[in-house]
Amino acid sequence: MNAHEIDYKLYGDDMQFVEIELDPSESVIAEAGGMMMMEDDIEMETIFGDGSSSNSSGLFNKLKGAGKRVLTGESLFMTVYTNNGYHKRKVSFASPFPGKIIPVDLEQLDHKIICQKSSFLCAAKGVSVGIDFQKKLGTGFFGGEGFIMQKLEGNGLAFLHAGGTIHKRQLQPGERLRVDTGCLVAMTRDVNYNIEYVGKIKTALFGGEGMFFATLSGPGTVWIQSLPFSRLADRVLSSAVSPTGGKGKGEGSILGSLGDFLNGDNR
């Protein structure tokens, strides 16, 4: 299914939203709860599955698409926004936490990208939102995103959201990049994704960076985020549970308060 050709404009810096302009009969699909505002003649319809199949695809294909979304931790349903008027109309979608919205043109990226769960915001109707299994056991257990990541396929525009500042990196053939497993946002289909052990027990226990890195090998393009939502949430929760407003539990060490004591923080 060819995706609809939509136009867009990004607003804001750290709390962005994307405004999508739809011609008559054009549609955009989005996660439930992502809509910020919409003009007259835009109609919403909740659909079962990922929105890429036609209405005549049958119940089995719709159940299959919905099952994929459950495995990636998303809702069974998505929302389609269609311009049913005779003039151009606009609908806007907002990022759910501080960070950036990343527009990607799948036609220029070999029609497929792989991204972390929950990073999808919206896309032109016709883009397929599915799952991508990590085939290596180590990657599945320690990769931060488990065995399953999302994949976006098609020939249209899609929009991802991620935390903090986004760094787009073009990897040359054979070039390797090691990143924190939670900082990987997306990658093109040719990038080889694996998990690498930090290598030293002391570093793994007290370094605050975990025991594993994500190793990305080129050629291909990767998108890295500076502030994963999980890291932000951990810091907020840690401060919230502490009566003094400081550390409520050991941060940066799997040994908790013992790690703080050994690091000299025994307040």
Side-chain angles (χ1 to χ4, degrees):
M1 177 179 179
N2 290 329
H4 293 188
E5 297 182 4
I6 59 176
D7 299 312
Y8 73 93
K9 184 177 181 180
L10 289 175
Y11 290 87
D13 185 19
D14 294 325
M15 297 290 289
Q16 290 186 315
F17 72 92
V18 57
E19 178 186 80
I20 296 178
E21 184 178 75
L22 299 175
D23 292 331
S25 300
E26 282 187 341
S27 301
V28 60
I29 60 173
E31 292 290 357
M35 194 273 291
M36 175 182 168
M37 59 184 175
M38 60 182 179
E39 296 181 340
D40 284 341
D41 297 326
I42 299 289
E43 292 193 7
M44 301 169 50
E45 180 186 4
T46 300
I47 59 173
F48 191 63
D50 67 358
S52 62
S53 301
S54 64
N55 293 331
S56 61
S57 59
L59 179 61
F60 177 77
N61 285 335
K62 292 181 179 179
L63 288 172
K64 183 179 178 182
K68 291 178 181 180
R69 292 180 50 74
V70 171
L71 286 174
T72 57
E74 304 294 347
S75 168
L76 281 171
F77 302 94
M78 295 188 74
T79 306
V80 178
Y81 299 82
T82 303
N83 179 5
N84 286 330
Y86 298 100
H87 305 281
K88 293 178 181 291
R89 291 291 184 259
K90 297 174 182 178
V91 56
S92 300
F93 303 92
S95 178
F97 54 85
K100 304 291 185 182
I101 295 176
I102 310 169
V104 290
D105 188 344
L106 295 177
E107 190 167 16
Q108 297 180 4
L109 298 171
D110 200 17
H111 303 281
K112 177 182 177 181
I113 63 168
I114 299 169
C115 55
Q116 67 171 217
K117 294 182 292 185
S118 302
S119 63
F120 173 72
L121 181 63
C122 60
K125 187 176 181 181
V127 171
S128 172
V129 184
I131 61 175
D132 189 83
F133 288 95
Q134 298 301 316
K135 299 177 181 178
K136 298 181 180 179
L137 187 63
T139 303
F141 278 122
F142 306 115
E145 297 298 329
F147 286 103
I148 302 169
M149 298 180 74
Q150 284 187 326
K151 64 178 178 180
L152 306 179
E153 295 180 295
N155 60 352
L157 281 170
F159 300 86
L160 311 177
H161 63 83
T165 300
I166 308 303
H167 179 58
K168 181 180 179 181
R169 179 75 176 265
Q170 184 69 41
L171 299 178
Q172 301 302 316
E175 181 181 4
R176 292 206 315 161
L177 183 68
R178 292 182 294 176
V179 301
D180 181 275
T181 54
C183 290
L184 175 63
V185 178
M187 56 188 173
T188 52
R189 66 194 308 165
D190 293 331
V191 173
N192 183 29
Y193 175 55
N194 206 345
I195 292 299
E196 180 179 315
Y197 177 56
V198 170
K200 296 181 180 180
I201 295 296
K202 182 179 179 181
T203 301
L205 294 181
F206 305 111
E209 301 299 335
M211 301 180 68
F212 300 92
F213 291 126
T215 302
L216 309 172
S217 301
T221 305
V222 297
W223 289 264
I224 310 296
Q225 61 183 344
S226 66
L227 183 61
F229 178 72
S230 58
R231 184 181 298 176
L232 174 63
D234 286 344
R235 291 302 178 96
V236 171
L237 180 61
S238 178
S239 297
V241 299
S242 173
T244 61
K247 288 187 177 182
K249 62 180 181 178
E251 295 177 340
S253 170
I254 63 173
L255 298 184
S257 58
L258 176 59
D260 287 337
F261 178 79
L262 294 177
N263 281 325
D265 186 4
N266 57 356
R267 297 189 300 274

